[in-house]
Amino acid sequence: MKAVQVSDIVVPLCGRDSGMPMLVVGTEGESLFLANGKHRRFERPKRKKRRHTEYRAPCDDWTRDKLRSTGRLSNNDVRRALALYAENIDSEERGE
């Protein structure tokens, strides 16, 4: 199992947000702070235990660099990173 880090994309396994891809915007011990930029804003991320999430993919390089250098993202940046992830998944399913 891969260790989840800040700027990775995960999917919660339980709760009302289960199945929705979310971006890890922070960590604290065994907890991850997750945001999707729309329902869960960057300013108020959802706290989830690591064992209740499943790693999916790293986010794009631009988002990762910005988050690690400034420690901040706009909600639009979070939504864009998740849209790029969804677009990549769709193209893989179609066999492109």
Side-chain angles (χ1 to χ4, degrees):
M1 181 182 213
K2 183 182 180 326
V4 178
Q5 301 173 345
V6 172
S7 77
D8 284 342
I9 296 174
V10 298
V11 174
L13 299 175
C14 53
R16 69 175 60 188
D17 55 357
S18 64
M20 277 194 322
M22 300 185 98
L23 184 70
V24 178
V25 296
T27 61
E28 182 179 282
E30 281 300 307
S31 297
L32 302 173
F33 294 97
L34 309 176
N36 68 3
K38 187 172 182 177
H39 301 101
R40 259 311 158 177
R41 316 277 289 170
F42 183 86
E43 298 83 21
R44 293 183 51 88
K46 175 68 178 169
R47 182 183 195 136
K48 281 274 192 192
K49 291 186 179 180
R50 288 178 190 266
R51 67 176 179 242
H52 295 155
T53 62
E54 181 178 282
Y55 173 82
R56 287 300 167 98
C59 70
D60 60 295
D61 294 333
W62 183 85
T63 305
R64 180 184 307 114
D65 294 340
K66 183 173 180 182
L67 181 58
R68 290 185 179 169
S69 66
T70 64
R72 240 185 106 68
L73 288 175
S74 68
N75 290 305
N76 191 36
D77 293 337
V78 174
R79 288 191 302 270
R80 187 179 65 77
L82 293 173
L84 287 172
Y85 163 74
E87 182 180 299
N88 189 20
I89 294 299
D90 288 344
S91 65
E92 285 178 6
E93 287 177 358
R94 287 182 293 201
E96 294 178 359

